[in-house]
């Protein structure tokens, strides 16, 4: 069941208090004691033995008196060399000893990250490992002695002693949060101690601590504050209880122990000690007057604590609308951005094409998968990848790369696959994806020009066409045209400014952004590779699987990333056809941990060798060629025991390495979880620690199977599609989905010319401003003889959305314009599924072109040479230019989803090749050249046409003419050069073609 919270106002309230779960405590083994013993021996040898051996064998390193200048003129002997070497060894020993002292002091005092010894490098790393191995057993021994681990704490009711070990990780924010979470075993005792400390403290002894701003990747945490000032990090609960729900100087409240912000004031227990504490404002001369006033005001609020923390936390879901409330600005919190009014408000238009299209389906007798319609970025990615797959299949078929199949017609989807394809067409927002990609790359390029590093981005919001980036921490003013948003952690770019961006050659800065869901008019994209630790997702198995599938599909096909690796564990083996180069599947978590341990080590080493702090540094500036592609892990099955601990350890430092982890859990309690989310049966994505309640984006199993089916059917390596040769070379080509009668008796009632200038014969031109819209609707229907869903038609004609009554009115006018058949039936009708289809009497020249080629190669022309020649000639005459050559700018944007722009040149090339072969059989080389040149006008990039043109020109027997064709081919090839197969043919037909080109130039 979903976890729900509420406040007195009825709105959402703060989540239950939870911090990232502690790593399971591992028992010390005999091997640990062996390691500790050897560490002690090594330290003793290095710290004591080395200087003793040097003093005994060589002597003290310092001279007895001041050296004279004559020393520099003495001969360099072996003794001199040994003395110099001895001094170097003494210096190395001194440096290592300093490292040991620094590490021992940091380990015993618990002051967080140890100081760095200048120039130490590997020496300090070795000292740290030896000291850690030695102290590891010391910590264990303390836990065996009752009362020893609790020494110095006046905890009443001390029950069973417990030792909480926190591993120091270099993962920044998560590293400190993970340490703070290790106190779960003594939570009860800490709360009792907090109550006792609060009752026994005197007003005059009250101390306060001000949360320090981050330094680099180090953030202050309650655990470290308790370590420094109370002597035990596990006492952070006492600090939390003293300050819970009290209003801070910025107006917000403490509601979660792991979520604190710089500038906040913490009341400390009476026994707190340390130089950073302030007892009373008047007695703190080093504190500014503003801080004194803040502490004084905060002290007065101690007796008036209210339960407003929950209200403040829950209010995060509606913040930003009016700007009157302070949202949670913690680096681990996601805040809804303030929205500007939509430019289309009041005009019946919306920025997202999904919004209006989806709303109109409620009253319809048939619908489409709403999950895809409501996911414009996912739909655009899938639709773009599917189009590329189909184009690749066409070219492979045309070039005979797969089984000799050429001129293949993609299979027409049916059933669930057809519904999913229509949903993709309705929901896709390719323009939004393009602007998002341009905006992010443009930002990266601008920062690189200013020699500024990319800021860490936790999330992106798309709100009314504007893009808001939520930063982990303030990063100054953004480069123009970006602007500061509602506070220093928001960078905002208006849609009008994004449209001015042009393509730049820079790496995708935030490829790990992926859509999670929507909140009102805002869509949230979480940057998985920047999360400081594991992101957990709880809920039922089916609901989790739908979210995981959506995340995997969008990451695999999105348009704002370059290279990427997505590892799927426990699910998604059937998703790999979406992007075989990105998606990989592992069978179990053991294989995952083995793989990620190796990659984590490799990435750490690569970052160190490159001198980068994180992958973001490597994506800008002169080093961006390395790209630092992200690796995102989606683990559907909950890890257990040691596997969970190992995964949490790997994820602790993953944020700066470009690695992200999304892990499913049934219980909701996952070790090392930095952010926790839950998917409810009602489709809500709850993220209490982030203050969010979203309409989740998901890909249910049935739609997932249908999407995969579309990709598998488009793969030329799978079954389906026709086979055969082009150019009349034999075999059978794929049958077009719609054939027309090409005889004199088959004259159509309505004939539309689409290949070249758009013309319609048999209909009067509609009056008024609706004429272009009706022409465009007819063109869409003519290119889809299988039928067009009304919602697909409306989204194609009105990309920004339109109401259902406007769409239906256009369909009625279109039906009236096309007229009726002799039997009285309308030429525009709806099939059983509700899709709009045209009568067979409404024909386009593209239909005739396909039918003529099919009839010439597989119909009557296959056995009759004269019929074949006439039909091929008639077909080539129909080609008057590119498809819809004169279409107005800004319209027919739906053609970007089609593959007709790839099909038509291939079809024209097949016709030209077949007609050329027809003429060459009778030795008519000039006629063959004429046919090939006509085909090249529409398919200038088709290598087959150039090869046959070279052969036909060679048959004429004119070397100069052949040399000219070779020169034209080289000029058209440009920087890519002549394809290898064509180059080999030129070497055979015209061995001196290269020298001829040199002479001509």
């Amino acid at each position: 069941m979903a976890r729900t919270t509420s406040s007195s106002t009825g709105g959402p309230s703060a989540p239950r208090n939870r911090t990232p779960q502690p790593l399971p405590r591992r028992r010390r083994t005999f091997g640990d004691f062996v390691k500790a013993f050897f560490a002690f021996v090594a330290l003793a040898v290095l710290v004591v033995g080395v200087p003793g051996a040097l003093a005994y064998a060589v002597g003290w390193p310092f001279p007895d008196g001041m050296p004279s200048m004559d020393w520099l003129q003495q001969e360099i002997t072996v003794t001199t060399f040994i003395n110099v070497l001895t001094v170097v060894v003494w210096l190395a020993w001194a440096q290592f000893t300093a490292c040991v002292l620094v590490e021992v002091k940091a380990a015993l005092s618990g002051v967080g990250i140890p100081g760095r010894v200048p120039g130490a490098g590997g020496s300090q790393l070795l000292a740290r490992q030896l000291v850690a191995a030695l102290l590891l057993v010391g910590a264990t021994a303390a836990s065996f002695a009752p009362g020893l681990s609790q020494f110095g704490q006046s905890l009443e009711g001390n029950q069973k002693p417990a030792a909480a070990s926190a591993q120091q990780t270099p993962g920044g924010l998560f590293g400190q949060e993970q340490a703070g979470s290790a106190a779960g075993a003594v939570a009860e005792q800490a709360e009792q101690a907090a109550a006792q400390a609060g009752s026994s403290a005197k007003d005059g002894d009250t101390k306060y601590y001000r949360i320090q701003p981050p330094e680099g990747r180090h953030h202050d945490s309650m655990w470290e504050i308790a370590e420094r000032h109370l002597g035990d990090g596990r006492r952070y609960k006492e600090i939390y209880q003293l300050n819970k729900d009290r209003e801070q100087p910025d107006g917000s409240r403490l509601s979660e122990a792991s979520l604190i912000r710089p500038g906040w004031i913490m009341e400390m227990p009476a026994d707190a000690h340390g130089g950073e504490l302030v007892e009373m404002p008047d007695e703190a001369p080093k504190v500014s007057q503003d801080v004194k006033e803040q502490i004084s005001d905060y002290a007065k609020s101690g007796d008036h604590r209210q339960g407003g923390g929950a209200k403040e936390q829950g209010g995060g879901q509606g913040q930003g609308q009016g700007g009157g409330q302070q949202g949670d600005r913690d680096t681990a919190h996601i805040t809804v951005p303030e929205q500007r009014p939509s430019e289309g408000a009041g005009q019946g238009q919306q920025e997202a094409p999904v919004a209006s299209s989806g709303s109109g389906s409620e009253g319809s007798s048939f619908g489409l998968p709403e999950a895809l319609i409501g996911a414009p970025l996912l739909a655009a990615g899938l639709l773009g990848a599917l189009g590329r797959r189909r184009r690749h299949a066409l070219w492979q078929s045309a070039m005979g790369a797969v089984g000799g199949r050429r001129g293949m017609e993609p299979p027409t989807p049916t059933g669930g696959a057809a519904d999913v394809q229509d949903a993709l067409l309705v929901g896709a927002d390719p323009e939004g994806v393009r602007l998002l990609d341009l905006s992010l790359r443009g930002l990266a390029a601008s920062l690189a020009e200013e020699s500024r590093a990319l800021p860490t981005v936790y999330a992106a919001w798309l709100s009314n066409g504007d893009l808001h980036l939520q930063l982990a921490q303030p990063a100054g003013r953004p480069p123009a045209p970006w602007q500061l948003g509602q506070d220093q952690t928001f960078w905002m770019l208006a849609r009008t400014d994004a449209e001015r961006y042009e393509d730049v050659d820079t790496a995708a800065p935030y490829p790990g952004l992926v859509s999670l869901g929507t909140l009102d008019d805002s869509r949230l994209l979480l940057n998985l590779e920047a999360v400081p630790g594991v992101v957990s997702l709880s809920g039922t198995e089916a609901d989790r699987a739908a979210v995981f599938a959506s995340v995997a599909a969008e990451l695999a096909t999105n348009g704002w990333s370059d290279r990427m690796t997505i590892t799927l564990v426990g699910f998604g083996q059937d998703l790999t056809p979406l992007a075989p180069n990105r998606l990989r599947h592992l069978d179990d978590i053991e294989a995952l941990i083995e793989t990620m341990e190796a990659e984590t080590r490799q990435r750490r080493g690569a970052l160190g060798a490159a001198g980068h702090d994180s992958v973001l540094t490597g994506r800008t500036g002169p080093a961006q060629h390395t790209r630092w592609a992200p690796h995102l892990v989606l683990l559907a099955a909950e890890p257990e025991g040691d596997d969970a601990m190992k995964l949490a350890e790997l994820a602790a430092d993953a944020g700066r390495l470009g690695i992200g982890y999304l892990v499913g859990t049934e219980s909701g309690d996952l070790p090392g979880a930095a952010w926790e989310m839950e998917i409810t049966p009602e489709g809500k994505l709850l993220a209490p620690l982030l203050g969010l309640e979203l309409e989740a984006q998901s890909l249910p199993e049935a739609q997932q199977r249908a999407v995969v089916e579309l990709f598998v059917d488009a793969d030329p390596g799978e079954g389906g599609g026709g086979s055969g040769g082009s150019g009349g070379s034999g075999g059978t080509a794929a049958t077009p989905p719609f054939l027309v009668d090409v005889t004199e008796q088959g004259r159509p009632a309505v004939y539309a010319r689409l290949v070249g200038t758009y013309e319609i014969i048999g209909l009067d031109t509609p009056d008024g401003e609706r004429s272009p819209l009706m022409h465009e609707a007819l063109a869409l229907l003519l290119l889809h003889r299988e039928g067009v869903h009304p919602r697909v038609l409306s989204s194609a004609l009105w990309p920004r959305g339109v109401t259902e009554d406007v769409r239906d009115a256009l369909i009625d006018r279109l039906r009236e314009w096309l007229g009726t058949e002799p039997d009285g039936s309308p030429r525009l009708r709806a099939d059983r599924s509700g899709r709009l289809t045209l009568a067979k009497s409404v024909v386009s020249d593209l239909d005739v072109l396909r039918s003529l080629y099919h009839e010439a190669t597989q119909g009557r022309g296959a056995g009759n040479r004269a019929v074949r020649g006439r039909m091929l000639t008639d077909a080539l005459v129909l080609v008057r230019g590119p498809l819809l050559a004169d279409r107005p700018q800004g319209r027919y944007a739906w053609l970007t989803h089609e593959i007709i722009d790839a099909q038509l040149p291939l079809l024209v090339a097949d016709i030209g090749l077949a007609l050329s072969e027809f003429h060459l059989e009778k030795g008519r080389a000039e006629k063959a050249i004429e046919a090939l040149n006509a085909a090249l006008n529409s398919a200038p990039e088709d290598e087959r046409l150039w090869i046959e043109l070279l052969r036909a020109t060679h048959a004429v027997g004119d070397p100069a003419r052949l040399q000219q064709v070779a020169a034209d081919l080289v000029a058209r090839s440009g920087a890519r050069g002549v394809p290898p197969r064509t180059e080999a043919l030129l070497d055979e037909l015209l061995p001196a073609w290269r020298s001829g080109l040199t002479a001509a130039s």
Side-chain angles (χ1 to χ4, degrees):
M1 294 182 59
R3 295 192 296 267
T4 57
T5 55
S6 60
S7 65
S8 60
T9 61
S13 63
R16 58 191 178 93
N17 286 323
R18 280 185 49 81
T19 55
Q21 294 300 306
L23 300 180
R25 183 164 57 91
R26 187 171 64 90
R27 293 184 177 273
R28 304 301 180 233
T29 64
F30 176 75
D32 294 330
F33 287 94
V34 173
K35 292 178 182 178
F37 173 74
F38 283 113
F40 173 77
V41 172
L43 284 172
V45 170
L46 293 173
V47 176
V48 180
V50 169
L54 288 173
Y56 176 78
V58 182
W60 193 247
F62 299 105
D64 297 332
M66 289 294 294
S68 64
M69 294 300 295
D70 296 338
W71 180 79
L72 297 176
Q73 300 175 358
Q74 293 178 1
E75 180 182 359
I76 298 178
T77 63
V78 175
T79 303
T80 306
F81 177 77
I82 293 176
N83 290 336
V84 173
L85 183 61
T86 302
V87 172
V88 173
V89 175
W90 274 108
L91 292 175
W93 168 82
Q95 184 187 59
F96 177 77
T97 303
C99 294
V100 172
L101 295 175
V102 168
E103 295 297 329
V104 169
K105 178 181 180 298
L108 294 179
S109 63
V111 185
I113 298 177
R116 293 188 58 186
V117 178
S123 297
Q124 188 164 6
L125 179 60
L126 176 61
R128 182 176 306 165
Q129 293 173 343
L130 293 175
V131 170
L134 183 60
L135 294 182
L136 187 65
V137 175
T140 307
S143 67
F144 286 131
L148 180 59
S149 60
Q150 307 290 335
F151 185 77
Q153 302 181 29
S154 57
L155 295 178
E156 293 184 4
N158 188 14
Q159 303 170 4
K160 186 177 179 179
S165 60
Q167 178 181 359
Q168 183 67 35
T169 61
L173 170 66
F174 175 65
Q176 287 85 45
E177 290 182 349
Q178 178 179 327
S181 68
V186 291
E188 300 279 344
Q189 300 172 3
E191 291 177 2
Q192 295 173 6
Q196 179 184 359
S199 61
S200 61
K202 299 179 181 179
D203 292 340
D205 296 335
T206 305
K207 300 180 180 67
Y208 299 92
Y209 175 82
R210 188 173 178 85
I211 305 299
Q212 300 301 306
E215 297 182 4
R217 298 184 61 83
H218 175 75
H219 295 69
D220 225 343
S221 70
M222 280 199 180
W223 177 276
E224 289 192 343
I225 296 171
E227 281 275 12
R228 291 196 301 269
H229 303 297
L230 299 177
D232 190 344
R234 293 172 296 177
R235 295 183 62 188
Y236 80 96
K237 281 284 188 178
E238 301 176 37
I239 306 175
Y240 173 71
Q241 291 296 332
L242 286 172
N243 298 276
K244 183 175 180 293
D245 296 335
R246 292 173 64 179
E247 185 174 358
Q248 293 291 337
D250 62 359
S252 54
R253 302 173 188 269
L254 173 66
S255 60
E256 178 63 28
S258 62
L259 301 181
I260 58 177
R261 307 186 210 139
W264 276 10
I265 297 167
M266 296 287 111
E267 181 180 339
M268 301 293 289
D271 62 337
H273 55 83
E276 297 173 339
L277 297 177
V278 175
E279 292 191 1
M280 288 302 293
D282 295 338
E283 302 172 4
K286 295 182 179 181
V287 178
S288 67
Q289 186 61 35
D290 291 341
V291 174
K292 290 180 182 180
E293 293 176 359
Q294 291 177 2
I295 295 176
S296 179
D297 294 340
Y298 188 75
K300 296 176 183 178
S301 67
D303 297 330
H304 306 283
R305 300 176 188 175
Q306 300 176 8
K311 184 176 180 180
E312 176 71 22
Q313 180 80 3
Q317 298 176 5
Q319 291 164 7
Q321 306 296 333
Q325 290 180 320
Q326 285 284 345
D328 194 334
R329 303 293 189 261
D330 190 87
T331 56
H333 204 85
I334 304 299
T335 307
V336 185
E338 296 177 352
Q339 300 181 16
R340 299 186 304 114
S342 173
E343 295 178 2
Q347 301 176 9
Q349 293 183 345
Q350 309 219 3
E351 286 297 330
V354 216
S356 56
S357 300
S359 62
S361 67
E362 298 301 328
S364 178
S365 61
F366 55 91
L368 296 174
E370 296 295 333
L372 286 171
I373 291 178
L377 304 183
L378 170 61
L382 288 172
L383 200 59
L386 181 61
R388 291 190 295 272
R389 184 71 55 84
R390 287 173 171 171
R391 287 181 175 86
H392 180 65
L394 285 174
W395 279 105
Q396 280 190 309
S397 301
M399 302 304 169
V402 180
R405 287 158 45 188
R406 301 176 184 175
M408 183 190 75
E409 291 286 346
T412 301
T414 58
D419 290 338
V420 162
Q421 178 170 277
D422 286 341
L424 293 177
L425 290 167
V426 172
D429 182 15
E431 180 65 10
V433 171
R434 187 184 72 88
L435 291 179
L436 176 60
D437 183 46
L438 288 176
S439 302
L440 296 177
R441 293 181 194 268
L443 173 63
S446 299
L447 290 172
E449 290 178 359
E450 298 177 7
S451 298
R452 296 171 61 186
L454 283 168
T456 300
V457 169
Y458 277 159
W461 290 90
L462 292 173
S463 303
N464 291 328
D466 299 338
L467 174 61
H468 303 256
L469 296 182
Q470 184 163 357
L471 313 184
Q473 58 188 29
R477 293 201 64 83
W482 290 77
Q483 305 172 17
L484 282 175
Q486 61 204 56
D487 62 28
Q488 294 289 326
T489 62
F490 273 94
W491 285 5
M492 190 273 289
L493 181 70
R495 183 187 180 98
T496 52
D497 293 326
E499 291 171 345
R500 301 189 185 100
Y501 267 120
E502 298 180 354
D503 291 325
V504 292
D505 183 18
T506 189
Y510 304 112
L513 287 169
V514 64
S515 303
L516 290 185
T518 57
L519 178 61
D520 299 329
D521 293 330
S522 299
R523 180 171 303 276
L524 171 65
L525 288 83
L526 184 67
N527 190 6
L528 276 182
E529 67 167 337
V531 175
V534 171
V535 179
S536 69
L537 177 66
S538 61
T540 65
E541 184 177 357
D543 293 332
R544 295 200 320 266
V547 174
F548 270 95
S550 170
V551 170
E554 184 170 302
L555 288 173
T557 60
N558 72 52
W560 54 87
S561 64
D562 300 318
R563 295 183 298 111
M564 182 188 298
T565 300
I566 307 162
T567 298
L568 311 179
V569 186
F571 83 107
Q573 188 171 6
D574 54 343
L575 288 175
T576 51
L578 301 184
N581 294 330
R582 285 193 177 187
L583 290 170
R584 70 175 180 181
H585 180 268
L586 294 179
D587 295 330
D588 50 43
I589 190 172
E590 288 78 11
L592 171 68
I593 290 176
E594 181 180 356
T595 300
M596 298 313 299
E597 283 179 341
E599 179 158 350
T600 299
R601 287 194 302 270
Q602 186 272 332
R603 290 200 174 213
R604 282 176 179 160
L607 279 179
H612 298 319
D613 179 62
S614 72
V615 294
L616 291 179
T617 311
R619 288 182 186 159
T620 54
Q624 68 168 281
H625 65 278
T626 58
R627 298 295 180 181
W628 298 106
H631 186 166
L632 304 176
V633 176
L634 308 182
L635 174 59
E638 180 175 2
E640 299 178 354
D642 290 343
D643 291 336
M645 181 181 68
K646 292 177 181 177
L647 189 67
E649 291 173 349
L650 288 172
D653 196 28
R656 72 183 190 94
L657 302 178
I659 302 175
Y661 294 87
L662 176 62
V663 182
T665 172
E666 296 182 5
S667 62
D669 296 330
L670 187 67
W675 291 348
E676 295 179 338
M677 300 185 296
E678 177 187 2
I679 177 67
T680 70
E682 294 77 24
K684 298 287 186 180
L685 189 67
L686 307 179
L689 295 181
L690 307 182
L692 296 175
E693 181 178 339
L694 307 172
E695 293 291 337
Q697 178 173 300
S698 62
L699 188 60
E701 183 179 0
Q703 298 173 31
Q704 177 184 333
R705 290 198 304 267
V707 167
V708 172
E709 179 183 342
L710 290 174
F711 279 80
V712 171
D713 288 345
D715 191 341
E718 302 293 335
S723 64
S726 72
S729 59
T732 58
T735 302
F738 178 72
L739 293 173
V740 299
D741 186 356
V742 293
T743 65
E744 289 295 330
Q745 292 74 27
R747 289 184 175 274
V750 178
Y751 182 68
R753 291 178 175 174
L754 304 179
V755 184
T757 304
Y758 191 5
E759 300 175 8
I760 298 179
I761 300 173
L763 293 176
D764 295 331
T765 302
D767 297 330
E769 299 178 353
R770 298 189 183 92
S771 177
L773 207 59
M774 296 176 68
H775 277 75
E776 185 175 357
L778 179 58
L780 177 62
L781 291 167
L782 286 168
L783 291 177
H784 290 276
R785 304 301 307 217
E786 73 278 8
V788 177
H789 198 288
R791 295 176 73 177
V792 174
L793 180 68
S794 64
S795 65
L797 300 181
W798 293 281
R800 291 177 177 264
V802 72
T803 57
E804 190 174 339
D805 56 343
V806 173
R807 178 197 68 195
D808 293 342
L810 174 78
I811 294 174
D812 291 339
R813 294 189 189 95
L814 188 61
R815 183 179 290 113
E816 181 181 357
W817 180 44
L818 291 173
T820 59
E821 297 282 74
D823 61 359
S825 61
R827 294 191 177 115
L828 177 62
R829 59 196 72 173
D831 62 12
R832 293 182 178 179
S833 66
R835 289 175 172 81
L836 301 171
T837 61
L838 293 172
K840 291 186 177 181
S841 62
V842 183
V843 174
S844 73
D845 54 355
L846 187 58
D847 297 327
V848 177
L849 191 65
R850 287 169 168 160
S851 300
L852 284 171
Y853 177 66
H854 178 77
E855 191 71 17
T857 56
Q858 300 182 62
R860 290 176 296 145
N864 188 318
R865 174 180 169 79
V867 172
R868 181 167 75 252
R870 186 181 73 250
M871 287 186 170
L872 291 173
T873 302
D874 291 344
L876 202 56
V877 169
L878 288 176
V879 181
R880 301 174 299 121
L883 186 76
L884 299 169
D886 60 343
R887 57 179 179 265
Q889 187 176 6
R891 300 216 62 87
Y892 297 86
W894 48 269
L895 280 173
T896 58
H897 303 319
E898 307 286 341
I899 61 169
I900 184 61
D901 59 338
Q903 286 177 294
L904 181 57
L906 289 175
L907 177 60
V908 174
D910 283 343
I911 295 172
L913 292 169
L915 188 56
S916 170
E917 182 178 351
F918 172 81
H919 289 304
L920 287 175
E921 287 175 354
K922 293 298 184 179
R924 297 193 290 265
E926 292 291 348
K927 287 288 187 181
I929 293 172
E930 181 181 347
L932 292 168
N933 281 324
L936 279 168
N937 289 331
S938 295
E941 304 298 329
D942 199 308
E943 184 185 2
R944 299 171 300 159
L945 290 175
W946 285 103
I947 289 176
E948 292 305 317
L949 181 60
L950 289 171
R951 295 185 189 277
T953 306
H954 180 264
V956 174
D958 187 349
R961 189 172 177 183
L962 182 59
Q963 183 70 49
Q964 184 59 47
V965 174
D968 293 343
L969 174 59
V970 171
R972 188 179 293 273
S973 299
R976 295 175 302 172
V978 178
R981 190 167 56 167
T982 307
E983 186 176 8
L985 179 62
L986 276 173
D987 290 335
E988 175 188 347
L989 301 180
L990 192 64
W993 66 279
R994 292 181 177 83
S995 60
L997 293 175
T998 304
S1001 60

